[in-house]
Amino acid sequence: MELDEVVCFSRFSRVAICGGTHGNELSGVYLVREMQKAERKAKERGNDMEVITVLSNPRAVQRGLRYIDTDLNRCFTHAMLSGSNTNDAPYEIIRSRELNALLGPKGSRDAVDLVCDLHNTTANMGLCLISYSDSDWLCLHVFRHLQRQMPDVPTRFIHFNATNKESYSLDSVGKHGFALEAGPQPHGVMRSNIYTTMKMGVEHVLDWVCLFNSGFVFEGGSVDVYTVVRNIDYPRDRDTHNITAAVHPQLQDRDFCLLYPEDPLFLTLSGETLRYKGKEPLYPFFINECAYYEKGIAVSLARKRRVAIPAIRVQTEQEQQAKKDECTSEEEEE
Amino acid sequence: VAARLDEARRVAIFGGTHGNEMSGVMLVNLWVQNNTEVQRKGVEVQPFITNPKAVEKCTRYVDTDLNRAFTPENLSTLGGGDLPYEVRRAQEINRMFGPKGSPEAYDVIFDLHNTTSNMGCTLLLESSKDHFNLQMMNYIQKSIFPASCLVLLNEHPLLKYSTSRSVAKHPVGLEVGPQPQGVLRSNIFESMRDILKHALDFIELFNAGMEFPPCTVEVFRLSERIDYPRDDNGNIIAMVHPNLQDCDWEPLNPGDPMFQTFDGKTIHYQGSGTVYPTFINEAAYYEKQQAFATTRRESLVASAIRKA
């Protein structure tokens, strides 16, 4: 990639904002509801861009649960999307296929251009943009825009390296996608400051897309990316599998504060401190996220690095036509 | 002249009355395995998980809220397997630790709870005339000083409810927050553990014959339940205002911000006088139509007490 190269992408014609993928993560639930009310009052964004708002897991939302049968945000692998619906299929599998039909199909030309999936966490993570890629320049530019527009909110980019494991979450259905995670907020609770952060975040995302579509050239630069390295589970009783220690008070709420070897990790019920035994200092996050107890994660650890991003802009109509002609002539040659 | 009261020989510690309030679940599980920490001379202390099915699913309740289930109707109704799980459970607990209102009932039950509200450590009192409890709460407050522990009194004829601890002669609720449901925070866990330590010390001293002189206990008496503003379909249309969020026990004056609508407008408190709000933004109360509760400060005088 040349430093002065401007990378071009097709315009965004459809953007999906999804809330309630986990039914008890309320910022997204209420924000999507409010956006749907506003849509009924014919609020327009111009630029012929369609904003689709989706309540991803309505049954879980209605019952105030994370999920009914299984975690919806793990149901979007190609394998899970392509099976046929049986009578006893889990509710979330049926729903993931409905969402794939609505916003996808995943991997096809008909998929929406961008999926922005709204989540909350009990961890003290501020605002995070979570993505499978550290080289999707569109997502990284959106992230930089959010950081600049919301300087009072700690905003970070988390990269889940999915090269070995296939993408499984809702945001992987769109051509581009990411999760917007805001915390700390208990599940089942709506904190006004967290709602406001999420609302502003979504507005800035949509503003960026409009700006992009209008032909604005976004200059290159660099951003900090946190790439997940590993997870650490709670110490557990060998027989019952029950947790035998709590996240240490010196680690609790210290998301993104560098964790050094020998730093406290857990405090057992009998008062013993268990320490981080890794060799490399890493950045902890999702510290004490409620929903991860059952997934065996007390804390996730990441490496931070600077990623250079190129300048980007939207493809002009001539460039799009030229590209189409190129594809057509290639087909003719074959 | 000190009031002569029966010694408190049988004490229970209830955890998991709400299955996702983790401090109590962890403490009781710990003490069921090894009760050394809660043993005291002259006292039988039984740690007990009240709602094991809810604990297993890490949910507040399975069919119905156990901590509202100890009504006279529920405790006496027949129906066996057709009854909601928590009603059957309430009957079982009433047999084991009650019967409620009888001389055979346990002397003291501590019921351990967490809240998503920023309430700190709160002791829950059900009767302003329970001098034993008032003295215990006073003892706890003095023992943990400078840390604080407030007393919430729910004696309101309409808002009072039938708790699991109400089976005992002296019911004591312990509410510690803020902690999200399903999450175990070390500091919250240790605070609850510390309060129970002092509570059991008090009982041991009382049973050994110590006289506790008259004392004044400041309590917050439950006054009113305030719901979220809702639309005609019952959907919430405003959130607890950022100025009120996390301000449990701080004075709320008429005209102060109370709620904020989704488009940023402020709704103000319209009461006639200053109140002290609590249970601000408790997750479990969304379905009970409560955004917060108001209380009024009151001083109660506890008479001197001594074992009979």
Side-chain angles (χ1 to χ4, degrees), chain A residues 26 30 34 37 122 186-192 195-196 199 243 246-247 249 252-253 267 269 288 290 293, chain B residues 26 30 116 180-186 189 193 235-237 239-242 245-246 260 262-263 281 283 286:
Chain A
L26 296 190
Y30 280 88
E34 289 302 301
K37 274 191 213 166
T122 58
H187 298 313
V189 163
M190 257 252 290
R191 291 180 67 94
S192 47
Y195 177 84
T196 301
K199 180 175 176 187
I243 289 171
V247 167
Q252 181 68 58
D253 300 334
L267 185 64
L269 304 185
N288 210 351
C290 168
Y293 280 48
Chain B
M26 291 298 282
L30 174 68
T116 59
Q181 295 170 340
V183 164
L184 180 72
R185 288 179 71 100
S186 179
F189 172 87
R193 194 178 195 172
N235 295 318
I236 288 173
I237 57 174
M239 313 167 276
V240 169
H241 196 278
Q245 178 69 54
D246 300 336
Q260 184 180 71
F262 292 113
D263 43 12
N281 209 347
Y286 280 52

Side-chain angles (χ1 to χ4, degrees), chain B residues 218-293:
Chain B
E218 185 181 72
V219 305
F220 291 83
R221 183 188 283 272
L222 195 70
S223 175
E224 207 184 343
R225 203 186 270 166
I226 310 276
D227 190 13
Y228 292 94
R230 294 173 189 267
D231 64 18
D232 297 325
N233 296 323
N235 295 318
I236 288 173
I237 57 174
M239 313 167 276
V240 169
H241 196 278
N243 285 20
L244 179 59
Q245 178 69 54
D246 300 336
C247 293
D248 301 70
W249 309 119
E250 290 174 35
L252 180 69
N253 304 302
D256 284 350
M258 187 172 55
F259 295 109
Q260 184 180 71
T261 65
F262 292 113
D263 43 12
K265 281 199 278 283
T266 299
I267 298 173
H268 303 270
Y269 177 59
Q270 302 287 359
S272 53
T274 297
V275 290
Y276 295 84
T278 189
F279 278 119
I280 299 174
N281 209 347
E282 159 55 50
Y285 290 174
Y286 280 52
E287 71 174 19
K288 298 200 202 293
Q289 278 91 48
Q290 182 178 318
F292 65 97

